[in-house]
Amino acid sequence: MLRQRLLLLIIFLGFTRLSFAQTDQKANPQTSATLAMEVPIQALTSGPNYHWFGYYDKLQTDPSGRYVLGMEVTFEGRSPKPDDVLKIGMIDTQDNNRWTVLGESHAWGWQQGCMLQFIPGSDQEVIWNDKEGEQFVSHILNIKTQEKRTLPFAIYTLSPDGKTALSVDFERINDLRPGYGYAGIADPNKEKIAPANAGIYRCDLATGKKELIISLADIMKVKLPDTKEASFQDYQTNKHWFNHLLFSPDGSRFIFLHRWKTPSKSSVGGFGTLMYTAAADGSDLRLVDNSGYTSHFIWSDPEHICAWTKPRGMEHAFYLFEDKENTQPKAVGKGIMTENGHNTYVPNTNNEWILNDTYPGKDRKQTLYLYHVPTRQKVVLGRLHSPESYKGEWRCDLHPRSTPDGKHVIIDSTHEGNGRQIYWADISEIVNKKMSKRE
């Protein structure tokens, strides 16, 4: 512990020469560095069953950070079947990481689970998706009183005030992007390229009302710029879907990705992607990234979005976009954050710190790191091994999440050889220190 504190002090005084890797020479070496600062990573769950949370843009803990949500299954390495039961649970980090079962789900995937999360603004209510008969639903549970109610729709993302959800057609996603949709219900529009009765739905958590606000047929009417990029191949003839929805921090707008199938050699993952934003009611549609290559993203503030993409005439990197059409994005972490990852801003740091990860490299290591925007310094928190068997649909991405106070990072990982489990690390000493520019 003493050695670790001394190392932290050296780093933040700006005198350290400890370097994990050299940055790209095109990045300014005078003001940027990659620092090896591995932190203790503590397991919150253990075997024999497998545990994880899923995506990186949802509230995994209550506002205090004490209660950590998670999911549990008894198998890995295959697609979920309609009768596979997922256990919903909660970890009490102040009671020896005690695991309490809250419920179960029959509607889940390996990448985003069942959209389990705390409802924004609540320290007691959690929500997750399930399947009842031939309908996807969502349950809201009060973890203190055990009172539970069920809504007639599955949710994708929640508004910051906790009153509204957006939903999509999970059966269509399951058909077109396994790992993100839910098994058990056939897509009624399976043979249609862009149906008019499928798309993005606005849902009221109080009344249970569900309304289609943007259809796939609607989005096909948007006039696109030049579509000579390889990612636009077969745009008019292959099937389309919506995925990755996220409300802005003030709830006034939301992002969504519009995707379509392409030959796998023409684009990453075998699909093309456009990033749109819209007002909360589906109006004022804006095509923010028209490249066809958008991947992971996060709102920086209500007017800006940080996304991994390849803007026209530019290289793959993270870019900061204004929430407008036809604007020139600015590179973020150029030459330093050089790989696609699941990026978020650490809470309570005034957006100075970005939390991110990478996919496994040739050595099967996934890098967990922080990036300090003002000084362009990257702090590596750990390089975690992912066994070769974790790939494709049932890979285990780290999907790093922060606690609301910004003091801890929570990840899903397989690095200890116990299958996917939930871990966390204390980053408070790093993000609370004043970073010095490299001399």
Side-chain angles (χ1 to χ4, degrees):
M1 180 61 71
L2 178 60
R3 179 176 179 273
Q4 189 178 62
R5 290 182 179 275
L6 287 173
L7 184 56
L8 274 169
L9 180 62
I10 291 171
I11 289 174
F12 290 112
L13 285 176
F15 296 122
T16 182
R17 295 303 178 193
L18 180 63
S19 177
F20 176 79
Q22 295 297 316
T23 59
D24 191 321
Q25 293 301 309
K26 294 180 181 179
N28 186 353
Q30 302 287 317
T31 59
S32 64
T34 301
L35 307 171
M37 187 51 252
E38 297 193 2
V39 297
I41 296 176
Q42 174 190 353
L44 297 182
T45 59
S46 60
N49 292 339
Y50 309 105
H51 305 85
W52 84 109
F53 178 72
Y55 231 45
Y56 65 101
D57 56 3
K58 308 193 182 305
L59 291 175
Q60 186 176 5
T61 78
D62 70 305
S64 74
R66 173 178 177 174
Y67 298 108
V68 179
L69 298 174
M71 303 172 296
E72 180 183 75
V73 290
T74 59
F75 69 92
E76 291 186 298
R78 65 168 173 81
S79 301
K81 298 177 182 179
D83 57 349
D84 285 326
V85 178
L86 176 80
K87 294 292 185 182
I88 307 299
M90 182 175 68
I91 303 155
D92 186 347
T93 62
Q94 295 182 19
D95 186 10
N96 199 32
N97 296 331
R98 179 170 55 89
W99 172 265
T100 300
V101 175
L102 302 176
E104 62 182 37
S105 173
H106 292 84
W108 60 277
W110 287 112
Q111 297 310 305
Q112 296 178 313
C114 57
M115 300 299 179
L116 173 66
Q117 59 196 289
F118 271 89
I119 293 180
S122 175
D123 62 354
Q124 299 184 21
E125 288 193 320
V126 300
I127 189 170
W128 71 87
N129 292 338
D130 194 3
K131 184 173 74 73
E132 292 186 345
E134 291 300 307
Q135 182 179 21
F136 292 127
V137 301
S138 56
H139 303 301
I140 295 178
L141 175 74
N142 187 303
I143 61 174
K144 300 291 179 64
T145 67
Q146 298 304 302
E147 181 182 356
K148 177 182 170 183
R149 59 191 178 95
T150 299
L151 298 170
F153 47 73
I155 60 102
Y156 198 107
T157 186
L158 301 179
S159 60
D161 63 7
K163 296 179 179 180
T164 305
L166 295 175
S167 184
V168 292
D169 302 279
F170 287 98
E171 61 273 25
R172 188 172 183 86
I173 295 176
N174 191 63
D175 180 47
L176 296 170
R177 187 91 196 277
Y180 293 83
Y182 305 146
I185 298 178
D187 178 11
N189 295 301
K190 185 178 179 64
E191 304 305 320
K192 296 181 180 179
I193 292 175
N197 62 341
I200 296 173
Y201 307 85
R202 181 179 172 88
C203 307
D204 191 308
L205 297 186
T207 66
K209 181 182 177 181
K210 175 183 175 182
E211 176 189 9
L212 180 65
I213 57 174
I214 302 175
S215 74
L216 286 163
D218 290 336
I219 212 70
M220 296 298 289
K221 298 174 185 176
V222 175
K223 182 176 175 56
L224 299 180
D226 179 28
T227 55
K228 294 179 180 178
E229 290 277 356
S231 60
F232 286 92
Q233 188 172 349
D234 294 330
Y235 179 86
Q236 296 293 341
T237 57
N238 280 357
K239 292 195 287 187
H240 295 248
W241 75 99
F242 293 138
N243 208 349
H244 301 303
L245 287 66
L246 186 64
F247 272 103
S248 62
D250 64 0
S252 63
R253 299 184 64 78
F254 65 91
I255 295 175
F256 65 94
L257 298 186
H258 165 210
R259 286 183 162 164
W260 59 94
K261 283 284 190 178
T262 63
S264 59
K265 292 183 179 179
S266 69
S267 61
V268 177
F271 49 80
T273 306
L274 293 170
M275 181 174 75
Y276 287 87
T277 65
D281 62 359
S283 64
D284 191 16
L285 193 66
R286 303 173 189 173
L287 177 53
V288 177
D289 181 13
N290 61 21
S291 68
Y293 293 102
T294 321
S295 184
H296 303 109
F297 60 81
I298 199 72
W299 287 93
S300 173
D301 55 54
E303 287 82 37
H304 296 88
I305 302 149
C306 182
W308 176 269
T309 185
K310 184 182 181 297
R312 292 168 184 270
M314 305 172 76
E315 61 186 359
H316 270 108
F318 283 100
Y319 291 90
L320 194 66
F321 288 83
E322 282 190 81
D323 181 18
K324 299 178 181 178
E325 294 191 341
N326 302 316
T327 61
Q328 188 72 5
K330 298 178 181 178
V332 178
K334 184 176 181 180
I336 303 170
M337 294 202 301
T338 58
E339 297 180 59
N340 192 3
H342 306 92
N343 57 311
T344 56
Y345 288 89
V346 178
N348 298 318
T349 66
N350 197 32
N351 282 2
E352 288 193 2
W353 287 97
I354 293 175
L355 172 64
N356 212 341
D357 66 347
T358 68
Y359 291 104
K362 292 182 179 179
D363 59 359
R364 297 297 301 173
K365 294 291 182 67
Q366 298 167 289
T367 301
L368 176 67
Y369 69 91
L370 292 164
Y371 174 72
H372 191 238
V373 178
T375 62
R376 290 175 46 76
Q377 294 190 70
K378 177 179 177 180
V379 181
V380 174
L381 304 176
R383 299 186 71 239
L384 308 176
H385 182 260
S386 176
E388 182 68 29
S389 59
Y390 290 92
K391 57 186 178 181
E393 177 187 340
W394 41 82
R395 67 188 181 279
C396 183
D397 298 338
L398 299 180
H399 287 154
R401 292 86 59 182
S402 299
T403 52
D405 59 10
K407 293 182 179 180
H408 286 85
V409 169
I410 309 175
I411 60 172
D412 306 325
S413 182
T414 58
H415 68 280
E416 288 191 329
N418 299 318
R420 65 189 73 217
Q421 301 294 344
I422 301 172
Y423 298 81
W424 78 346
D426 189 336
I427 60 168
S428 58
E429 290 193 52
I430 297 175
V431 298
N432 290 334
K433 293 289 186 179
K434 181 177 177 59
M435 292 291 284
S436 301
K437 289 186 178 182
R438 298 275 290 179
E439 297 298 328

